């Protein structure tokens, strides 16, 4: 075993060395009397000659390259790293909420103006990934991460030293642009490394950092503001993000399949991790082979509006609509929790922050519930279809009902989440014991994360050639709806009460669920129609290019 194989975390891509002919195992096909034996109506037909020919053909064919050259431990380590890097986006939004009164007082501005910095943050959080996500699908994940790093660090340093409302508003927008794309990039890295059969589990890893942000943000924000002042919140974010981006720079290899395929193709030197660059210099004299077939698509120019095209698809539009409205209701729950606990129980900011922990812990448990259920359901459908799931080999989605595989797990969690939201709302409305509220929040986190990640996995499965762009479209719809939900949450609760507001949210979710049943029934046909439409458009484009070249050649 080499040193690279012993290293379990974030190893650079291991290129396969060529094998000498003398060391290559024999590929001679051996046929027995039972080869190609067909038993039909008690008769037996043996054709050993044809069997020898077929076996020889199969022996001559090279084996299918693995979907990824990395081990399970390496993939899990990389996905965990990008997941915890993605924590900066929700953390930057949640950590900011406890310091709003302090900011308004120190900058001498109204509450409505300070709330505008929250709204603009959410709007930019939805728009920015459309540009960065598509760029990463074309040029790779690491350049996109470097852009996010520079923008985010500069914005946090500026926020820590600014003294005016104009600077606060501008730099918050810049902070949102730098942090928001990390969520889409984390899901894209998981898609680069994991096949559909194991994507539920790995996307569970990718969701860990994102679900921790809203839970830890209010706790950290309240503590830092109370003991160090609000400026130290931005210094804290600078130190945290700088550390995470430094680890990415040193250890994370390029995973974009347009650039490195399954990881066996070396990326350009400027796009290598520091560890991979050092290892490449040591191996410069070795002969290596690469799996060019694992490269997905020819590279093309980035299109920042590519995510909007997904909204024009029937299946994509419905999936994004349901996902964004579920997130809107969830964000309404998160943003009003602090004010409800303060007004109904009189808790301090530190205690309120601690009350967010159950929903975060519940979200983290998705990996052990919804993630494994999703992978189990994939294996169940593959077995029913007579498809053998090979380790580290991608499965053909045309032969599997991917919509059923994902939504059969996600839909029950949608209904369970609706029940728990109603339980939470009425527990808060009746001012029952804090234990009842916290228990309902914990199970809300468990069931909501399972239902939402099923939809997120489906949108990636149906847009496997551009996972970051698909997640950017998801992020766009989700954040815009979340901004609207945050704006109307307080007036709705003040008008009808927390109990009936929770009934309204759950009613919207349940009312949308028939659309998900429709996707299960019609989704494969819609997906096939979209594929045929793209093939026709591509054929016309190639035909037009051929005609143009012929005309130019004639001149």
């Amino acid at each position: 075993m080499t040193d690279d194989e012993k290293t379990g975390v974030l190893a650079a891509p291991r290129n396969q060395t060529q094998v000498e002919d003398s060391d290559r195992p024999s590929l001679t096909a051996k046929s027995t009397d039972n080869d190609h034996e067909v038993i039909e109506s008690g008769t037996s037909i043996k054709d050993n000659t044809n069997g020898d020919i077929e076996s020889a053909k199969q022996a001559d064919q090279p084996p299918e390259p693995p979907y990824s050259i990395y081990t399970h431990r390496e993939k899990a380590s990389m996905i965990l790293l990008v997941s915890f890097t993605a924590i900066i986006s929700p953390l930057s939004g949640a950590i900011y909420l406890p310091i709003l009164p302090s900011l308004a007082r120190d900058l001498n501005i109204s509450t409505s103006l300070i709330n505008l910095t929250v709204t603009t943050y959410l709007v930019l959080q939805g728009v920015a990934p459309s540009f960065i996500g598509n760029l990463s699908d074309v040029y790779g994940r690491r350049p996109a991460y470097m852009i996010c790093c520079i923008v985010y660090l500069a914005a946090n340093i500026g926020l820590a030293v600014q003294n005016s409302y104009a600077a606060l508003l501008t730099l918050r927008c810049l902070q949102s642009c730098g942090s928001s794309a990390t969520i889409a990039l984390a899901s894209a890295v998981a898609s680069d490394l994991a096949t559909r059969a194991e994507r539920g589990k790995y996307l569970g890893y990718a969701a860990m950092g994102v679900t921790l942000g809203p839970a830890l943000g209010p706790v950290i924000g309240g503590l830092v503001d109370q003991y160090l002042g609000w400026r130290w919140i931005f210094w804290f974010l600078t130190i945290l993000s700088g550390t995470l981006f430094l680890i990415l720079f040193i250890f994370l290899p390029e995973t974009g399949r347009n650039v490195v395929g399954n990881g066996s193709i070396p990326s350009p030197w400027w796009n290598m991790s520091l560890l991979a660059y050092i290892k490449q210099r040591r191996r410069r004299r070795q002969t290596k082979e690469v799996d060019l077939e694992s490269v997905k698509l020819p590279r093309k120019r980035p299109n920042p509006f590519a995510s909007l095209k997904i909204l024009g698809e029937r299946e994509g539009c419905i999936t994004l609509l349901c996902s964004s409205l579920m997130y809107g209701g969830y964000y309404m729950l998160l943003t009003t929790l602090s004010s409800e606990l303060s007004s109904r129980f009189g808790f301090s900011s530190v205690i309120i922050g601690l009350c967010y922990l159950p929903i975060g812990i519940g979200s983290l448990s998705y990996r052990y519930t919804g993630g494994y259920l999703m992978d189990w359901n994939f294996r169940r459908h593959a077995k029913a279809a007579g498809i053998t799931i090979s380790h580290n080999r991608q499965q053909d989605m045309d032969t599997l009902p991917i919509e059923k595989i994902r939504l059969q797990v996600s839909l029950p969690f949608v209904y369970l989440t609706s029940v728990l939201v109603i339980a939470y709302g009425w527990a808060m409305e009746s001012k029952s014991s804090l234990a009842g509220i916290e228990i309902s929040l914990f199970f809300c986190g468990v069931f909501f994360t399972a239902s939402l990640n099923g939809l997120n996995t489906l949108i990636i499965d149906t847009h496997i050639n551009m996972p970051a762009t698909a997640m950017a479209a998801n992020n766009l719809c989700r954040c815009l709806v979340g901004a609207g939900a945050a704006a109307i949450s307080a007036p709705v609760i003040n008008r009808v009460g927390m109990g009936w507001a929770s009934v309204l949210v759950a009613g919207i979710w349940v009312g949308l669920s028939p659309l998900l049943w429709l996707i299960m029934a019609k989704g494969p046909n819609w997906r096939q129609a979209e594929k045929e439409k793209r093939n026709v458009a591509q054929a016309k484009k190639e035909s037009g290019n051929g005609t143009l070249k012929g005309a130019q050649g004639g001149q």
Side-chain angles (χ1 to χ4, degrees):
M1 180 178 293
T2 65
D3 293 338
D4 295 336
E5 292 171 337
K6 295 178 182 177
T7 302
V9 290
L10 305 180
R14 300 190 303 269
N15 291 297
Q16 302 166 341
T17 56
Q18 289 182 338
V19 182
E20 297 295 332
D21 290 339
S22 58
D23 297 332
R24 186 174 290 120
S26 175
L27 297 178
T28 305
K30 297 180 181 180
S31 299
T32 65
D33 292 338
N34 295 325
D35 284 348
H36 296 274
E37 185 174 11
V38 180
I39 302 175
E40 184 176 355
S41 302
T43 62
S44 176
I45 303 174
K46 298 182 180 179
D47 193 349
N48 290 335
T49 303
N50 292 338
D52 291 336
I53 295 174
E54 289 296 323
S55 299
K57 287 182 178 179
Q58 292 177 3
D60 291 338
Q61 293 177 355
E64 181 186 354
Y67 187 76
S68 174
I69 66 170
Y70 300 103
T71 64
H72 166 73
R73 189 176 176 186
E74 290 169 341
K75 289 190 284 187
S77 300
M78 285 187 277
I79 293 172
L80 281 174
L81 174 56
V82 296
S83 172
F84 283 106
T85 303
I87 197 178
I88 64 174
S89 181
L91 182 64
S92 300
I95 203 173
Y96 185 73
L97 298 178
I99 68 172
L100 294 180
S102 302
L103 278 171
R105 182 180 62 252
D106 291 354
L107 298 179
N108 194 25
I109 54 178
S110 65
T111 303
S112 59
L113 285 177
I114 202 69
N115 285 340
L116 184 60
T117 62
V118 178
T119 304
T120 53
Y121 182 90
L122 284 172
V123 172
L124 268 297
Q125 193 178 43
V127 174
S130 299
F131 296 83
I132 301 295
N134 187 255
L135 181 143
S136 77
D137 281 338
V138 177
Y139 294 112
R141 314 302 179 201
R142 283 180 57 85
Y145 271 117
M146 294 305 107
I147 293 173
C148 292
C149 169
I150 294 170
V151 173
Y152 186 74
L153 288 176
N156 277 308
I157 294 172
L159 284 166
V161 300
Q162 56 80 28
N163 289 298
S164 67
Y165 176 72
L168 175 67
L169 184 64
T170 303
L171 290 170
R172 277 287 287 176
C173 293
L174 197 63
Q175 184 192 42
S176 179
C177 292
S179 65
S180 56
T182 56
I183 297 177
L185 291 174
S187 296
V189 170
S191 177
D192 292 335
L193 299 174
T195 64
R196 295 184 183 94
E198 55 189 2
R199 194 162 292 156
K201 176 177 62 180
Y202 282 114
L203 283 180
Y205 287 128
M208 282 186 179
V210 177
T211 52
L212 273 176
L216 296 180
V219 181
I220 298 172
L223 288 172
V224 174
D225 182 40
Q226 182 170 344
Y227 295 106
L228 296 175
W230 60 265
R231 293 184 186 277
W232 266 99
I233 284 180
F234 299 113
W235 288 122
F236 167 78
L237 291 175
T238 302
I239 295 169
L240 174 65
S241 59
T243 303
L244 289 171
F245 283 128
L246 180 62
I247 296 173
L248 281 179
F249 174 75
I250 295 173
F251 293 106
L252 183 70
E254 177 57 60
T255 64
R257 300 186 71 84
N258 283 347
V259 180
V260 297
N262 63 359
S264 62
I265 301 174
S267 58
W269 66 268
W270 53 267
N271 197 14
M272 287 183 177
S273 66
L274 181 60
L275 184 62
Y277 180 74
I278 294 173
K279 288 190 174 185
Q280 188 201 42
R281 289 180 64 87
R282 291 177 179 175
R283 298 175 178 178
R284 183 173 294 175
R285 296 181 179 181
Q286 295 182 7
T287 304
K288 305 168 187 176
E289 66 178 20
V290 297
D291 293 318
L292 294 176
E293 294 180 359
S294 64
V295 178
K296 261 188 190 174
L297 291 173
R299 294 168 66 173
K300 54 185 179 181
R301 293 180 180 178
N303 180 8
F305 302 105
S307 59
L308 297 178
K309 294 181 180 179
I310 299 177
L311 293 172
E313 304 171 5
R314 284 173 289 187
E315 181 175 345
C317 182
I318 294 175
T319 306
L320 292 177
L321 173 67
C322 295
S323 174
S324 59
L325 287 175
M326 286 205 67
Y327 182 80
Y330 180 71
Y331 202 79
M332 180 184 291
L333 177 72
L334 286 180
T335 54
T336 58
L337 179 59
S338 58
S339 60
E340 291 298 311
L341 289 173
S342 177
S343 62
R344 298 177 190 274
F345 295 95
F347 291 158
S348 66
S349 59
V350 176
I351 299 299
I352 290 172
L354 292 174
C355 289
Y356 277 85
L357 287 178
I359 198 168
I361 296 171
S363 300
L364 285 175
S365 67
Y366 162 78
R367 176 187 177 277
Y368 304 101
T369 54
Y372 278 103
L373 280 176
M374 200 172 296
D375 290 343
W376 167 81
N377 201 39
F378 192 101
R379 294 192 297 269
R380 184 174 70 90
H381 278 273
K383 184 178 180 181
I387 298 174
T388 302
I389 297 179
S390 301
H391 177 67
N392 207 13
R393 296 292 189 275
Q394 185 65 290
Q395 291 75 37
D396 185 7
M397 197 170 60
D398 292 336
T399 60
L400 289 172
I402 196 66
E403 290 82 3
K404 284 186 178 180
I405 293 173
R406 302 310 185 195
L407 294 180
Q408 281 177 347
V409 175
S410 187
L411 264 170
F413 284 115
V414 171
Y415 297 128
L416 288 172
T417 308
S418 302
V419 173
L420 265 298
V421 164
I422 294 175
Y424 159 77
W426 285 107
M428 184 70 77
E429 180 73 22
S430 61
K431 295 185 180 180
S432 62
S433 66
L434 183 63
I437 294 173
E438 294 301 298
I439 290 173
S440 61
L441 283 175
F442 170 79
F443 284 105
C444 273
V446 174
F447 298 147
F448 173 80
T449 306
S451 59
L452 191 66
N453 273 284
L455 298 176
N456 292 344
T457 307
L458 178 60
I459 201 70
I460 289 178
D461 283 336
T462 52
H463 300 86
I464 193 62
N465 293 327
M466 48 178 186
T469 303
M471 285 305 297
N474 189 23
N475 206 60
L476 173 64
C477 298
R478 188 179 62 186
C479 290
L480 292 180
V481 173
I488 67 171
S489 58
V492 169
I493 292 173
N494 292 335
R495 182 68 179 272
V496 302
M498 190 66 195
W500 287 110
S502 64
V503 172
L504 175 63
V505 170
I508 292 173
W509 291 349
V510 174
L512 286 172
S513 62
L515 294 177
L516 298 178
W517 289 99
L518 181 64
I519 288 180
M520 281 202 293
K522 300 290 186 180
N525 294 333
W526 291 344
R527 182 159 39 87
Q528 187 63 30
E530 289 289 338
K531 182 178 179 180
E532 292 175 357
K533 185 193 299 184
R534 288 193 298 269
N535 291 339
V536 170
Q538 183 66 24
K540 288 182 178 180
K541 182 178 180 180
E542 292 176 356
S543 176
N545 291 338
T547 303
L548 180 61
K549 289 180 181 179
Q552 291 175 349
Q555 294 177 358

